[in-house]
Amino acid sequence: MMQDDLNGHIPQHESWKYVLRVIEDETIFFKTKLAHILSNDFEKSHLKHLEIFQHRFLKMDEQVELLRHEVSELQDIIKKSSWVIIHPEKIAQLQKTLEVKMDGLQESFDTLSSDFRTYLHQFR
């Protein structure tokens, strides 16, 4: 039974870690684009929009780091076999909470990505 729990949870956690790495990489790419825009001549009227994007990228970085930490903590808990056997309902609850947070992060990132790509497309 314990092995089933590990096999059921750990692959999902690895998938979440992959998603977090992809979001982190994409955010780095966007911040690099933003830095390039800021280092070149641009209309000063765009500065407010660029600052907002910079803030949104930094918030995304914070969310990614927090979720990466939560996923690692949950993996550590699951690897402690006695905890899983004694508190399977708690593990399921933590798993569901993380799933909701990951879905929210993905949705936030998709919105940010779309907004930034639209902004870049409009002002090329």
Side-chain angles (χ1 to χ4, degrees):
M1 180 79 171
M2 177 57 196
Q3 192 60 34
D4 289 344
D5 285 339
L6 288 175
N7 289 338
H9 294 294
I10 300 301
Q12 184 174 23
H13 297 170
E14 292 305 317
S15 174
W16 288 343
K17 285 180 176 182
Y18 175 77
V19 168
L20 292 171
R21 280 191 304 271
V22 169
I23 290 173
E24 183 178 48
D25 289 347
E26 284 290 310
T27 303
I28 289 168
F29 173 75
F30 290 148
K31 289 187 294 188
T32 302
K33 291 262 257 196
L34 180 66
H36 181 71
I37 291 168
L38 291 170
S39 68
N40 293 318
D41 288 333
F42 65 95
E43 286 186 39
K44 299 303 178 197
S45 63
H46 293 250
L47 187 58
K48 181 180 178 180
H49 294 291
L50 297 172
E51 287 175 339
I52 289 170
F53 279 117
Q54 181 181 27
H55 177 74
R56 289 174 70 187
F57 294 144
L58 293 175
K59 293 301 265 181
M60 185 61 59
D61 287 342
E62 289 173 10
Q63 290 177 336
V64 165
E65 194 56 40
L66 287 172
L67 280 175
R68 179 178 285 122
H69 180 72
E70 287 185 41
V71 169
S72 292
E73 281 184 336
L74 184 55
Q75 275 185 314
D76 290 344
I77 289 170
I78 288 173
K79 287 178 183 177
K80 295 176 183 174
S81 61
S82 62
W83 215 90
V84 173
I85 293 168
I86 296 170
H87 303 288
E89 68 287 342
K90 184 68 173 171
I91 296 293
Q93 180 184 14
L94 291 170
Q95 187 86 7
K96 182 63 177 169
T97 299
L98 258 176
E99 187 175 326
V100 169
K101 287 180 179 182
M102 286 296 298
D103 289 346
L105 177 71
Q106 184 68 56
E107 190 174 312
S108 293
F109 177 76
D110 290 347
T111 300
L112 175 56
S113 175
S114 175
D115 291 350
F116 191 61
R117 290 178 193 278
T118 299
Y119 178 83
L120 291 175
H121 183 70
Q122 288 175 347
F123 296 102
R124 280 194 170 176

